[in-house]
Amino acid sequence: MNFLDKYDHPKNYRFPFFKKAISIASERNLKIIVETGTSRGKKKFFFFKKKNWKDGMSTLMFSDFAYQIKGELHSCDILQKNIDNAKDFTRKFKSNTYFYVNDSVAFLKNFNKKIDFLYLDSFDGHNVELASKHQLNEAMASINKLNNNSLVLLDDKGAKTKYSLDFFLNNNFSLIGESDSQLLLSKNF
């Protein structure tokens, strides 16, 4: 997992937990990664795209991981501009990275592969109730697509996880890790 160390940026406060989750995924040989809410980066001087480490840059880390293990990252976002930015950041790993412009719930309902590692981070959590209901809908849309040894990483603990955590716990998942901002669950098998 040494390749991940380049993402240990001082502003990437989520890095230690991402590294933990990716390390477990590697140990379990998880190959199909699905992410809702693509890393969007930020614009500098109106047109230069820049990485936004405060957001974690998950898409970049997951695409690199998928490349390293000969797996796949499938990343969905509702905004084309976010997808375009993420494509720029991940162009080195484009052979293993697939992007979709779609509502995340619809995307998950129509996704036709079994999911090994699911990362839910769509719908900004400024409205806790709406964001939590949205993440619950994502959880319900994906529950039957998750493999037996799958991992689920929920972002924005407290701002989006009000209902999804209990949903997963009531559907044969266990909480195996927690940080200030994320929850990591494992399917019991």
Side-chain angles (χ1 to χ4, degrees):
M1 294 287 99
N2 291 339
F3 75 92
L4 285 173
D5 291 338
K6 64 183 165 254
Y7 303 114
D8 191 5
H9 189 278
K11 291 183 180 179
N12 189 358
Y13 66 91
R14 289 179 172 96
F15 174 77
F17 207 68
F18 275 127
K19 186 173 183 177
K20 176 182 179 170
I22 290 171
S23 294
I24 294 169
S26 179
E27 289 168 10
R28 293 184 181 189
N29 198 32
L30 304 182
K31 301 272 189 189
I32 305 296
I33 305 155
V34 172
E35 169 189 57
T36 64
T38 299
S39 296
R40 54 190 173 254
K42 59 184 177 181
K43 287 199 175 185
K44 190 171 182 171
F45 304 116
F46 302 104
F47 52 90
F48 290 113
K49 295 172 188 163
K50 182 179 173 186
K51 295 176 178 103
N52 185 359
W53 291 110
K54 287 182 181 179
D55 283 349
M57 295 303 295
S58 57
T59 308
L60 184 53
M61 287 186 279
F62 291 144
S63 64
D64 194 347
F65 175 58
Y67 181 80
Q68 299 292 329
I69 63 165
K70 296 177 179 43
E72 300 173 6
L73 169 64
H74 298 267
S75 185
C76 173
D77 199 282
I78 199 163
L79 295 175
Q80 182 67 52
K81 69 179 181 176
N82 293 346
I83 295 291
D84 292 342
N85 286 345
K87 282 181 178 179
D88 280 348
F89 297 136
T90 62
R91 64 184 163 272
K92 183 176 176 182
F93 312 113
K94 67 182 180 181
S95 62
N96 297 71
T97 306
Y98 306 91
F99 290 100
Y100 309 83
V101 179
N102 201 345
D103 170 76
S104 59
V105 176
F107 165 74
L108 290 166
K109 283 180 182 176
N110 294 313
F111 191 71
N112 62 3
K113 293 185 177 194
K114 288 299 245 180
I115 300 169
D116 293 322
F117 185 168
L118 177 64
Y119 178 54
L120 299 181
D121 187 26
S122 68
F123 203 106
D124 287 331
H126 303 296
N127 181 319
V128 172
E129 187 66 21
L130 289 178
S132 292
K133 285 180 179 176
H134 183 79
Q135 193 172 83
L136 174 62
N137 288 333
E138 290 177 322
M140 292 188 308
S142 62
I143 195 73
N144 292 323
K145 297 172 190 259
L146 292 161
N147 272 325
N148 283 336
N149 64 343
S150 61
L151 294 174
V152 175
L153 183 58
L154 304 176
D155 201 42
D156 299 314
K157 180 176 82 175
K160 297 179 187 175
T161 59
K162 186 175 173 182
Y163 306 116
S164 56
L165 175 59
D166 285 340
F167 175 79
F168 280 115
L169 293 175
N170 290 326
N171 280 278
N172 208 27
F173 280 78
S174 297
L175 183 64
I176 62 168
E178 184 172 356
S179 72
D180 290 342
S181 59
Q182 295 176 317
L183 300 168
L184 182 62
L185 299 115
S186 175
K187 190 168 185 181
N188 300 322
F189 58 97

